[in-house]
Amino acid sequence: MEHICPVCGYDELQQAPYDAEGNESFEICDCCGFEFGFDDIHDGHTFESYRNKWMSVGAKWLFKQSEPEVWDLNKQLKNIERIQPMYVPFWKKRCTPKWIEAEKVLASNSTDKVP
C-alpha cells in the first residue's frame, strides 16, 4: 500500500509518515522533499508551513526522476483530503499545553527562561 504525503499530496510514499504510535519514518517525499521526523521535529515545520514555503519557491519536484510527465499540482493537493485521520507524530501525541507554551517561548528567544 502506498501512502499520501500530508504536505503535497504525493500518493506514492513507501511508508506511512508516522506509524500507529506516531514514530516518524524519516522517508523523504519525492515531490516536495519533506522528511518526516526532520523537517517537522528538527526544523519545526507544520505540514502547512512547509507546503507554503515549497509552493512559494515554485512547487518544484525534489526528485525529477519521479515526476510524472503530466502533473497537476491542484489535483495532487486534493489527495490530502483523503488522509483520515491525519498522521500525528509521536512528539505531538505527548505534548501538553504547558509544553507547547514553553516551546513557543524558546522558539522566539532561546535564552528566555521557561516557567
Side-chain angles (χ1 to χ4, degrees), residues 32-80:
C32 68
F34 191 89
E35 181 178 356
F36 304 95
F38 182 81
D39 288 308
D40 46 0
I41 295 170
H42 182 268
D43 284 353
H45 284 288
T46 63
F47 301 145
E48 294 81 11
S49 70
Y50 193 93
R51 181 183 312 119
N52 291 337
K53 177 183 165 188
W54 173 68
M55 290 178 70
S56 74
V57 294
K60 298 193 183 342
W61 275 72
L62 178 67
F63 296 115
K64 287 290 194 186
Q65 64 272 24
S66 300
E67 184 177 1
E69 288 183 32
V70 178
W71 179 59
D72 183 336
L73 173 61
N74 292 321
K75 183 177 177 184
Q76 181 173 299
L77 288 170
K78 289 181 190 243
N79 288 335
I80 296 168

